[in-house]
Amino acid sequence: MKKTLLVLAVLVACNALQAQDKKEYPKPGQMTHDMTEFWEPQPKIVDPGKEKGDAPSDAIVLFDGKDLSQWMSPDGTEPTWKVKNGVATVVKENGKDIRTKQEFGSCQLHLEWCTPKNITGSDQGRGNSGVYLQGMYEVQILDCYQNETYANGMVGSIYKQSAPLVNPMKKPGEWNTYDIIYTAPVFKEDGTYLYEPRVTVLLNGVLVQNNTTIHGTTEFIGLPRTVKHGDGPIILQMHGDPSEPISFRNIWIRDLR
């Protein structure tokens, strides 16, 4: 017992000496709220417009209902789609898509589209079109109101890759709205993806793609391919299905590079 007490006494004495020898350093200063605040740079002021769907003041208006001066056919000729009453309508006789003259990378894209009230057909043969980002990655446009098709080919899908979360399609004859936020890919020197493209899509204000990874080019037959590229056009597809032609209005884009 005496030996145990002696050992304890020695340990206490050693700890006391160590405590005396420990160097004291200044303690961190007290945090205040302004230490985690910054004022510069101030975000740019943007006028959002008066009505829902209006082009913000920093947007590039691609179609304002007057003409297709911002667009051309893929072969560089003038687009042949019809413009009437503020609406651009697909002309199927010549079988041509239209593409923007300007090319883009990461962007916010707004467009409105409509199929005729008396549309016929089913599956992929009903109001089929699409919007291509950087000319390579398709967000599907299709009349899926009471019209089933393969899930990764329906409205709101990243065509042949990712099915939409839900189907908020409006009735034929009513206008649908896409709001697309797209992040362009980054490539390595060898042409493979460092970062794959990603996209968020709202259809009629409802989220249908949530920061979805796009795994490569849109292919009708076969798997997506990795193709190194820079900026590319927005393409609106003229699809060869037998249904009545689709129409577009109020198209604008914000460059997010």
Side-chain angles (χ1 to χ4, degrees), residues 192-237:
T192 59
Y193 287 123
L194 178 61
Y195 301 109
E196 293 173 297
R198 303 187 72 85
V199 68
T200 295
V201 181
L202 288 91
L203 171 57
N204 298 323
V206 179
L207 186 69
V208 293
Q209 297 290 339
N210 186 16
N211 196 29
T212 300
T213 298
I214 301 174
H215 296 295
T217 59
T218 295
E219 304 292 333
F220 179 56
I221 299 175
L223 298 174
R225 296 179 299 117
T226 301
V227 178
K228 188 177 182 179
H229 62 85
D231 291 349
I234 303 298
I235 296 176
L236 298 181
Q237 183 187 46

Side-chain angles (χ1 to χ4, degrees), residues 35 37 56 103 115 129 155 238:
M35 290 180 177
E37 300 168 356
E103 297 189 340
T115 54
S129 183
V155 66
M238 192 300 301

Side-chain angles (χ1 to χ4, degrees), residues 6-134:
L6 179 61
V7 171
L8 289 173
V10 170
L11 290 175
V12 170
C14 289
N15 289 335
L17 289 172
Q18 289 177 356
Q20 290 176 1
D21 293 339
K22 187 177 179 180
K23 188 176 181 179
E24 292 288 336
Y25 291 97
K27 294 181 180 179
Q30 186 176 358
M31 288 288 291
T32 60
H33 70 88
D34 57 329
M35 290 180 177
T36 53
E37 300 168 356
F38 63 87
W39 287 72
E40 294 181 317
Q42 285 286 307
K44 176 184 175 182
I45 295 174
V46 171
D47 183 351
K50 294 180 179 180
E51 303 293 335
K52 183 179 180 181
D54 284 354
S57 58
D58 65 343
I60 300 168
V61 177
L62 298 176
F63 178 62
D64 61 1
K66 297 177 182 178
D67 57 48
L68 291 170
S69 59
Q70 300 292 324
W71 302 80
M72 62 183 179
S73 296
D75 59 8
T77 59
E78 290 296 313
T80 57
W81 291 18
K82 295 178 182 178
V83 177
K84 185 178 180 181
N85 298 327
V87 172
T89 302
V90 173
V91 174
K92 295 194 175 185
E93 288 78 9
N94 61 26
K96 292 182 180 179
D97 302 337
I98 61 171
R99 53 152 289 175
T100 55
K101 294 178 179 178
Q102 188 171 346
E103 297 189 340
F104 303 93
S106 298
C107 64
Q108 176 187 349
L109 176 66
H110 174 96
L111 69 156
E112 299 169 19
W113 52 275
C114 178
T115 54
K117 189 174 183 179
N118 61 345
I119 194 169
T120 58
S122 61
D123 194 9
Q124 293 287 305
R126 182 179 172 127
N128 197 323
S129 183
V131 52
Y132 283 78
L133 305 164
Q134 292 194 299

Side-chain angles (χ1 to χ4, degrees), residues 138 150 152-153 157-162 218-222 224:
E138 181 186 9
Y150 45 94
N152 63 346
S157 67
I158 309 306
Y159 187 70
K160 286 292 185 81
Q161 294 192 37
S162 176
T218 295
E219 304 292 333
F220 179 56
I221 299 175

